[in-house]
Amino acid sequence: MKKLRIKDIANDLNISKTAVSFILNGVAQEKRISEELVERVERYIREVGFRPSPIARGLRTGKSNIIGLMVESISDPFFATIARLIENMAYKQGYRIIYCSTDNDTEKTKELINVLRERNVDGYIISPPPGVEKEINELIRAGLPVVMFDRYLPKVKTDYVVIDNEFSAENATRYLIHQGYRNIAFITFSSSLTQMKGRMKGYRTALKEEGLKPYVMEIDFTPEEKVMVQGVREFLAANPKLDAVLFGAIQAGSCGLKAITQLKLKVPQDLAVISFDDHDIFELFSTPVTAIAQPIDKIAHKVISILLERLEEGDNAAAPKEIVLKTKLKVRKSSVPAK
Amino acid sequence: MKKLRIKDIANDLNISKTAVSFILNGVAQEKRISEELVERVERYIREVGFRPSPIARGLRTGKSNIIGLMVESISDPFFATIARLIENMAYKQGYRIIYCSTDNDTEKTKELINVLRERNVDGYIISPPPGVEKEINELIRAGLPVVMFDRYLPKVKTDYVVIDNEFSAENATRYLIHQGYRNIAFITFSSSLTQMKGRMKGYRTALKEEGLKPYVMEIDFTPEEKVMVQGVREFLAANPKLDAVLFGAIQAGSCGLKAITQLKLKVPQDLAVISFDDHDIFELFSTPVTAIAQPIDKIAHKVISILLERLEEGDNAAAPKEIVLKTKLKVRKSSVPAK
DNA sequence: ATGAAAGCGCTAACAG
DNA sequence: CTGTTAGCGCTTTCAT
């Protein structure tokens, strides 16, 4: 049972390769191939289960039917969930996904873009690290659609899907203030990315309005989680006046909860807690944790549908879509009113 | 700045395509190309940053430098973590990953294997659903290396990396018994796969030794988590005699903890808990949950190194490696002695 | 040591 | 409406 080629089909049916190719590519009508022949070829193809080689096709057309997905780390539950949803929708349209974890590393990301590019990836979904503006702009100039999400690069004019970070953080902080908390920390990963800047800004705005003092801790990311947990623990221990904390991302929240557990702090009596992103751990923590939930389904849906649209229409001329989605503050017990 | 081809390099340097190709493929020595020319070509290539097209190469050689990774769901934290580790090691050896979520669906998996195959994926890492023996055997017959993990197919003779499920479950169950628990349930996803069978068997063995009665619940998987949580809740409510439960997988455990929380059961006073797989949620749950931790790093490492070895050596003749790794029972407060 | 040439499987321009 | 043909960029055999 050797692998069939278009040529074999043509031979078997005593017609030309071209005809088969046209039919395969759905241009039979405009090439004025008879209904009857189309039918005959299609039936035969179905019978023998022929599928044209995507590689040969790719070499010829420069298309691959592959979408490149670049996120900070595929093991992060936020990105993993998004990846899963995107995979599903892309698959239905005949696209496969090659994914890469950038580690938020500029050089690595540049190299990854190269790698994907030489595989003729048709479109890119990127949660970009800083510093890759040039490379992404080159993709766009080459007519390849790029959709950013989670964060964006202000200097790059292309579609993106993000959440309203500033408002979300401001809202959560203000909520803590209204609950009676006064010494509210913001703990997050150090980052120059838009989403973290927005969260920080929202936090500061809410505090300033009330004339409260900010306490900010930036965690240096390391793969050794223990080190980060210890960092948070030391920060909390060094600032006993704190009565509440807002975590700027799920990993920060997860490190923070571990630190809090180690310090045997009672939530919310000793320390109220809110974290960005929602996850099982927040629901199941000893005191369920109030979370700023991102609309993950909606993000994934928007991202992939924008990309598929660009891919189908080839309309890279259309104005970039800049989608900002709302988050939802899921109030749980970790942020009940201070006594 | 047009994209270079081998031909261009050859022209620029006034030599033949062949020479360049040989040098590119590291066979210069055995083709007896002069040191000096090799040096000259390599320098030029470095200077202009030339990289040969993997697609053209793929069409010609039938190799893709891509590894297919098929797991139940990439959003599952266990698989996402493994995927991440595998990605890293594969990348260093010049391999990219295309991933697919099988949903544990036999037909979908067959189709996915087809898709990967026609892309000339060089090797497969599969956490297989039942019923794909034939397809995998065909891959093997075609000389393509396949490494299974998490579970395996007894009828397929190929490498696999799993944990000692039976012993792990037996050990954990016995541990509960020794702590004084007598009515121990096993809650898991319904599955005919080796790993679940092993876990079930271990559980039953430990109970039988002590003449205890088994309480088994098989959760039907649905994407609607709420439905599954409710199922567990009803089961627990219907069996008030239970004093302990062993969850057969992390999702079961996570559903279970939610059910337990909803029922306001105290752990371990009302119900002791142990779960397969370890995760933040178990560490951070109101009563930290004893977990059977899989050696994730080691699994990923074994899987990818076995595959890379097969890929490098082309030694698909070598006997299949059947690796069984040990788990670690991480004892936490959810399983302290019954009063 | 090097070069010419065939061919991987497909698409699409062009000529009938 | 159909057939011929020229590549896409690379590897590799065979002849030089």
Side-chain angles (χ1 to χ4, degrees), chain A residues 51 59 64 73 83-84 87 91 96 99-101 103 111 114-115 118-119 254 258 280-281 284-285, chain B residues 51 59 64 73 83-84 87 91 96 99-101 103 111 115 118-119 254 258 280-281 284-285:
Chain A
R51 309 217 286 197
L59 180 60
S64 61
S73 169
R84 179 71 166 88
E87 177 195 4
Y91 183 78
R96 313 292 152 234
Y99 74 88
C100 317
S101 299
D103 292 329
E111 164 62 11
N114 262 334
V115 167
E118 63 195 16
R119 297 226 172 244
S254 141
K258 286 181 189 172
D280 286 350
I281 58 170
L284 291 171
F285 188 62
Chain B
R51 309 217 289 196
L59 179 59
S64 61
S73 169
R84 179 69 166 88
E87 177 196 5
Y91 183 78
R96 313 290 151 237
Y99 74 88
C100 317
S101 298
D103 292 330
E111 164 63 10
V115 167
E118 63 195 16
R119 297 222 173 245
S254 137
K258 287 181 189 171
D280 285 351
I281 58 172
L284 292 170
F285 188 61

Side-chain angles (χ1 to χ4, degrees), chain B residues 102-114:
Chain B
T102 65
D103 292 330
N104 215 24
D105 174 316
T106 306
E107 288 314 310
K108 185 175 178 198
T109 305
K110 288 182 184 174
E111 164 63 10
L112 287 172
I113 290 178
N114 263 333

Side-chain angles (χ1 to χ4, degrees), chain A residues 206-227:
Chain A
L207 287 190
K208 188 175 278 176
E209 262 174 18
E210 304 286 335
L212 296 175
K213 180 184 162 193
Y215 298 80
V216 170
M217 176 192 180
E218 299 202 345
I219 306 173
D220 288 319
F221 181 82
T222 78
E224 273 295 313
E225 199 192 32
K226 278 191 182 149
V227 177

Side-chain angles (χ1 to χ4, degrees), chain B residues 22-23 55 69 80 106 115-116 146 149 183 186 218 242 270 272:
Chain B
F22 283 160
I23 292 169
I55 299 175
L69 173 64
T106 306
V115 167
L116 294 187
V146 178
F149 77 102
N183 296 291
F186 181 57
E218 299 202 345
L242 290 178
D270 299 332

Side-chain angles (χ1 to χ4, degrees), chain A residues 54-55 57-59 61-70 86 90 94-100 109 111-126 135-136 138-147 304 307-308 310-311 316, chain B residues 3 51 53-56 64 66 96-99 119:
Chain A
I55 300 177
R57 178 179 278 176
L59 180 60
T61 62
K63 302 277 170 228
S64 61
N65 278 291
I66 291 180
I67 289 172
L69 173 64
M70 309 178 62
I86 286 179
Y95 286 95
R96 313 292 152 234
I97 308 280
I98 291 191
Y99 74 88
C100 317
T109 304
E111 164 62 11
L112 287 171
I113 290 178
N114 262 334
V115 167
L116 294 187
R117 184 133 191 224
E118 63 195 16
R119 297 226 172 244
N120 279 339
V121 156
D122 295 337
Y124 295 76
I125 297 173
I126 310 186
E135 286 71 21
I136 296 191
E138 265 167 29
L139 293 177
I140 297 168
R141 208 167 332 117
L144 297 163
V146 178
V147 181
I304 187 65
L307 184 61
L308 288 173
R310 298 266 181 209
L311 249 18
N316 283 31
Chain B
K3 196 92 183 92
R51 309 217 289 196
S53 152
I55 299 175
S64 61
I66 291 180
R96 313 290 151 237
I97 308 281
I98 292 191
Y99 74 88
R119 297 222 173 245

